[in-house]
Amino acid sequence: MQSEGRKIAVIGASRGIGAAVAQHFAQKGDRVVSVSRSQAVAGEWIQADISKSEGIKSIADKLGESALDALLFMGGVWEDGAFTDQYDFMKSSDRETRFVIAVNTIAPIELTRQLAKNLVKSDNPRAIFIGALSGLDNSATAEVANTASKFGLRGAAQALKLALRDYKIGVTVINLGNVATEEVMTDIEEGRSPQQVPIPLTDLISAIEWILELSNTVDVGDINMQQKR
């Protein structure tokens, strides 16, 4: 039977996937802590810039010693013009590369370390990170920083399983194709991205729910969600 009243931290909760996930769990009655730079759409908002170490520390400080059942890292950034014909690697700055990797790879590592003390207080703690199909072997896309960051995230998750073995925290990366967020649908409709059928947000949320509802005897590694067309 599904537990009620879980405390869930959703990172990147102001738009896109993170906003949809935060709204879903808040509407179910879970206690949602929404982390983002701009105003979150649901839950208790913690304003923080996770590209900076002080932003990550501020999240841990505000959560204090409270128990946390799940860390859902739904945030992510990419290069200007990524996934459209406008992207040009040679015009992407070093600063942009460092920012993408800071948010997509370094932040999940540092957040997990900072919040492990909170997660260990749960009977069934989980950390779920949004990856990308481009982070799989031989599946890279032209967006160099984003692809590198997603490869790094998968490696970090595999190492976190070992580093946090005594904490018994389940660690999962969901590697996605395009998801039907407002931004993705706009790019398709306006011709910046090719015609396609993105992954419904409801399917992604169902996958997250499934992981959270598993018993504490089961861990899940990578989940790959691909578009059929």
Side-chain angles (χ1 to χ4, degrees), residues 150-201:
K150 297 303 185 179
F151 264 99
L153 179 62
R154 290 182 61 235
Q158 292 172 24
L160 283 168
K161 288 178 185 291
L162 303 176
L164 298 175
R165 182 182 289 122
D166 292 343
Y167 289 76
K168 296 181 172 57
I169 299 171
V171 181
T172 303
V173 180
I174 303 179
N175 302 300
L176 296 166
N178 282 334
V179 177
T181 62
E182 182 179 345
E183 295 83 0
V184 167
M185 297 308 296
T186 299
D187 280 341
I188 294 170
E189 290 166 6
E190 296 181 359
R192 288 185 293 274
S193 293
Q195 288 298 312
Q196 59 192 285
V197 180
I199 297 164
L201 276 163

Side-chain angles (χ1 to χ4, degrees), residues 99-128:
F99 176 67
V100 170
I101 292 174
V103 172
N104 293 357
T105 312
I106 296 173
I109 294 171
E110 294 187 348
L111 271 169
T112 305
R113 181 173 57 225
Q114 292 274 358
L115 301 183
K117 70 182 189 304
N118 306 91
L119 288 163
V120 76
K121 295 179 179 180
S122 171
D123 293 332
N124 190 12
R126 302 276 177 181
I128 302 175

Side-chain angles (χ1 to χ4, degrees), residues 33-224:
V33 177
S34 294
V35 178
S36 54
R37 286 184 296 177
S38 55
Q39 179 68 53
V41 300
E44 174 192 344
W45 182 38
I46 295 178
Q47 184 177 24
D49 181 354
I50 61 170
S51 71
K52 301 181 182 350
S53 58
E54 54 267 31
I56 291 170
K57 185 177 184 302
S58 72
I59 299 166
D61 289 345
K62 288 177 181 175
L63 286 172
E65 299 299 320
S66 63
L68 185 65
D69 296 295
L71 167 61
L72 306 184
F73 193 95
M74 306 286 106
V77 295
W78 41 83
E79 298 94 323
D80 185 43
F83 318 119
T84 74
D85 292 337
Q86 299 171 8
Y87 173 72
D88 185 344
F89 167 66
M90 296 303 293
K91 294 180 180 177
S92 180
S93 68
D94 292 342
R95 180 179 180 180
E96 184 174 62
T97 296
R98 292 175 184 275
F99 176 67
V100 170
I101 292 174
V103 172
N104 293 357
T105 312
I106 296 173
I109 294 171
E110 294 187 348
L111 271 169
T112 305
R113 181 173 57 225
Q114 292 274 358
L115 301 183
K117 70 182 189 304
N118 306 91
L119 288 163
V120 76
K121 295 179 179 180
S122 171
D123 293 332
N124 190 12
R126 302 276 177 181
I128 302 175
F129 308 123
I130 291 297
L133 295 176
S134 60
L136 304 178
D137 290 343
N138 304 309
S139 297
T141 63
E143 293 76 18
V144 177
N146 186 69
T147 294
S149 72
K150 297 303 185 179
F151 264 99
L153 179 62
R154 290 182 61 235
Q158 292 172 24
L160 283 168
K161 288 178 185 291
L162 303 176
L164 298 175
R165 182 182 289 122
D166 292 343
Y167 289 76
K168 296 181 172 57
I169 299 171
V171 181
T172 303
V173 180
I174 303 179
N175 302 300
L176 296 166
N178 282 334
V179 177
T181 62
E182 182 179 345
E183 295 83 0
V184 167
M185 297 308 296
T186 299
D187 280 341
I188 294 170
E189 290 166 6
E190 296 181 359
R192 288 185 293 274
S193 293
Q195 288 298 312
Q196 59 192 285
V197 180
I199 297 164
L201 276 163
T202 52
D203 287 348
L204 171 58
I205 291 170
S206 293
I208 294 169
E209 279 278 26
W210 172 71
I211 296 166
L212 296 183
E213 290 171 6
L214 293 171
S215 76
N216 61 8
T217 63
V218 176
D219 196 6
V220 179
D222 284 75
I223 294 178
N224 302 331

